[in-house]
Amino acid sequence: MKQYMRSGLAIAAVITLASPCSAGPATVFRYRTPDIVAYFDATTGSATVRVGAMIFEQNGVSAPTYGFAMGLAHDPGLLTATFVEPVGPLPGIGGGAGPEFFGVTIYPGAVTVVVLYDAASLETLIFDTEVAVLSVHYSANPAVLLASMGPVSSMIEFDDSFGSPPVENRVVTSATGTSVVPTQVDGTVTLLPALAFVRGECNADGMVDLADAVTVLGILFGSMGAVDCMSACDANDDHAVDIGDGVHLLQGLFLSGPDPAPPFPGCGVDPTPDSLPCVAYPPC
C-alpha cells in the first residue's frame, strides 16, 4: 500500500534517496523507536499499538534537513502495520499542507517511508532536539497473544532491505540530495494481557457502593494492602490510586457527582491503559 501527499512531485526525485549518495558531512543524526508497553484484551486477544519514529541531530550543529527515508521491520507473525501518519513538525510544512512528498509502502514485515519536505528546497527542518516524525500503527495477531496469555515482546528494527530498489535509512542534508546514514536505535513492543474490570468497584464484591470508597481509603491510610486489581480503584482514571478516587466515589454516590470513568457500569478492558496492576478480578 502506498500513500502520497501533494503528489505532483515526480517519484524519481524520491528514488534517488534509496541510491548511494555523494559523500556528505559526518554522520550525526540518530533514528530511534522507543520501547513501548501496550495491553491486549485477555478475552479476545485484540490489541493495537502506535510506535513513534524519532529523529535527533546529535552533535549540536543544528544542520538543516530536506527530507528523510526510513525502513522499519517488524515480526509479521505478531504485528501487522495498518497505516503510517506524519506527526511532530511534518504536518505543519507547506503552511499546513504537509510535505511535498510522503510515500509509504507497507509490506507483511515492514514499512518504508520516503519524505521530501519541499520540491523547491525552500523549507527545511532542524532536529536539535529529538522529535517524533512518524507514527506507525500496528494491529496484533490475537491467536499469538491468546496462546501466550503473558508478556509478548517483539523488536521494531530499522532495516534497509525492503523495496525495489531498497529504501535505505538516510537523512537528506542538502538541496542537491546529499544524504547521511543515521545511527539507529531499535525499540521493543511488549504486549501484556489486560483483564476486564469495573472501575470504581475497588473491593470486587459486585457493586459500587460506600464500601469501595472505604477500601480506597484503607489502601491509602489504613493497614489494608493493595488489592488484586488496583485499576478498579482508580475511579477517576488519572492513572493513580489516591485520595481523589475516594472523593470521586463519594461525590458520585451521595452528591450527584460523576460516575467512575469507563469501564463502568459493566465489565470492560481499560481504554486508557497504565501501569496499575490488575492480576485478578473475579466479578468479570
Side-chain angles (χ1 to χ4, degrees), residues 224-282:
M224 183 181 299
V227 298
D228 287 336
C229 189
M230 291 293 286
S231 295
C233 301
D234 180 18
N236 60 7
D237 194 19
D238 65 353
H239 310 305
V241 175
D242 53 29
I243 188 62
D245 299 300
V247 171
H248 191 98
L249 286 169
L250 293 171
Q251 288 180 333
L253 289 168
F254 302 114
L255 297 175
S256 300
D259 289 331
F264 178 87
C267 296
V269 174
D270 192 347
T272 58
D274 51 45
S275 60
L276 290 173
C278 187
V279 297
Y281 197 77

Side-chain angles (χ1 to χ4, degrees), residues 158-225:
F158 292 98
D159 191 297
D160 292 334
S161 64
F162 288 85
S164 181
V167 173
E168 299 176 357
N169 286 282
R170 289 181 176 268
V171 180
V172 182
T173 55
S174 79
T176 59
T178 300
S179 66
V180 296
V181 178
T183 60
Q184 296 155 38
V185 181
D186 303 325
T188 301
V189 171
T190 300
L191 294 163
L192 304 175
L195 297 178
F197 64 94
V198 177
R199 194 179 299 280
E201 197 181 314
C202 185
N203 64 359
D205 67 351
M207 63 183 71
V208 176
D209 56 18
L210 178 60
D212 296 297
V214 172
T215 300
V216 171
L217 297 175
I219 293 170
L220 295 173
F221 305 113
S223 58
M224 183 181 299

Side-chain angles (χ1 to χ4, degrees), residues 73-110:
H74 60 271
D75 177 2
L78 177 63
L79 299 174
T80 298
T82 54
F83 67 99
V84 181
E85 61 179 330
V87 296
L90 294 189
I93 291 172
E100 192 80 21
F101 185 87
F102 186 85
V104 176
T105 305
I106 295 180
Y107 301 92

